[in-house]
Amino acid sequence: MSTELSILYVEDNAMLRATLLEYLEETGHQVVAVATAEDALVELDRQRFHILLTDVSLPGKSGIELGRETYARFPETRIILATGFDLANDQSKINIPGATLLPKPFDLDRVDDALAEIAASLS
């Protein structure tokens, strides 16, 4: 992928967070990784991101709530929701325009595809 994206990655599982962070950085993206939605909101106040990539199941505020709040405040930020649950058939639970669902466990090809789709829409 040739487009460098700025990504805010939210994952409470430290091992998974570190693994995907390393991959995203190796593929040329600028990534800030945090463990909670609350930490993500602090980062969103500090800088703008192309993408919010968040786990749905987070302690405290859920990734869906974080995605909605991010979309309301920064509609140009694209939202990717990572989940091990099947939400594909129930978009009403998500209610975030343009949100992308990314199944967990991560398939790196699917991660790349989601990022490439967003990068293409930014060009």
Side-chain angles (χ1 to χ4, degrees), residues 67-111:
R68 288 181 189 143
E69 187 169 340
T70 300
Y71 180 80
R73 292 176 60 201
F74 309 105
E76 70 282 1
T77 299
R78 298 289 302 271
I79 312 296
I80 300 176
L81 299 170
T83 181
F85 303 104
D86 183 12
L87 295 177
N89 295 323
D90 197 353
Q91 287 287 338
S92 65
K93 286 184 178 179
I94 299 170
N95 195 26
I96 304 170
T100 300
L101 292 177
L102 190 61
K104 286 173 76 177
F106 289 122
D107 172 327
L108 296 180
D109 288 336
R110 289 183 106 169
V111 172

Side-chain angles (χ1 to χ4, degrees), residues 7 10 21 34 48 56-57 77 80 85 121:
I7 302 169
V10 189
L21 170 62
V34 297
R48 297 296 158 257
V56 167
S57 299
T77 299
I80 300 176
F85 303 104
S121 74

Side-chain angles (χ1 to χ4, degrees), residues 5-18:
L5 297 168
S6 58
I7 302 169
L8 177 56
Y9 176 40
V10 189
E11 171 61 62
D12 60 319
N13 179 307
M15 184 178 292
L16 185 56
R17 185 173 61 247

